[in-house]
Amino acid sequence: MRMKNYLLGAFKPSCNVSIAFSDGKTRKQVPLKKGNGQTVLVPLFQSQENITGKVTIDPLQGKKVDHNGVKIELLGQIVRELDVPGEIYERKTYPFEFSTVEMPYETYNGVNVRLRYVLKVTISRGYAGSIVEYQDFVVRNYSPLPSINNGIKMEVGIEDCLHIEFEYNKSKRRESTGSGANTHVETETLAKYELMDGAPVRGESIPVRLFLSPYELTPTHRNINNKFSVKYYLNLVLVDEEDRRYFKQQEITIYRLQETT
């Protein structure tokens, strides 16, 4: 039993590792839902920004950290070596910088796919097992107003009986993963609105305004690295007295405008 406890203790982390952004106290924080369902506040970045900060390694009291090197990674893109092999006896801080990082795609948390941006610090220790620390952050990219933004017109009706025309003056979320025969599609209903109930009056107009801010939306994603797409649709449903349903669907493109303060 003593030997087992000794072995377990030998593989416990002998230090605390933290990652801090240089402008962490002033940079905007946004909520991010993690894989375990918990929501945390993380820094918000845009593509082409510099990502700078410090990594701090703080050995536990009476402990030292023997290592084969320390590095930080912006996962999937860049690696920075922070230290050569050696020993750490007391708190040590390493500054880091990733300059004008190309991050063309927004952070996305879907049903079957997640697009994440993560800083990863690794203290390599050979037989003792590496010590790893992660720090998520969110990326949002903004677009100018499109030069062409035609109105949307949708029509649904019952032949020789009823005809409804729906107009939306600004040009369901559907997530697909894989490609070809391996494509998997997941459809999520984001909101439902009842436009009218009862017999319609000829020529009647019903104003409709959809507020998007309550929903966790991202810009439309189209075939990101041949891995997944995210598309948005407006569905118009007409239900008659016999509960028969008539459908019309229109894809819309979602883009993000620069936030105003």
Side-chain angles (χ1 to χ4, degrees), residues 6 16 21 50 98 101 121 151 155 167 222 228 240-241 246 253:
Y6 174 79
N16 294 316
F21 294 96
N50 295 335
F98 300 99
V101 182
V121 173
E155 299 179 4
E167 288 193 35
R222 300 190 187 278
F228 77 98
D240 67 13
E241 292 180 340
Y246 305 85
T253 298

Side-chain angles (χ1 to χ4, degrees), residues 211-216:
F211 293 95
L212 302 182
S213 57
Y215 310 109
E216 295 183 7

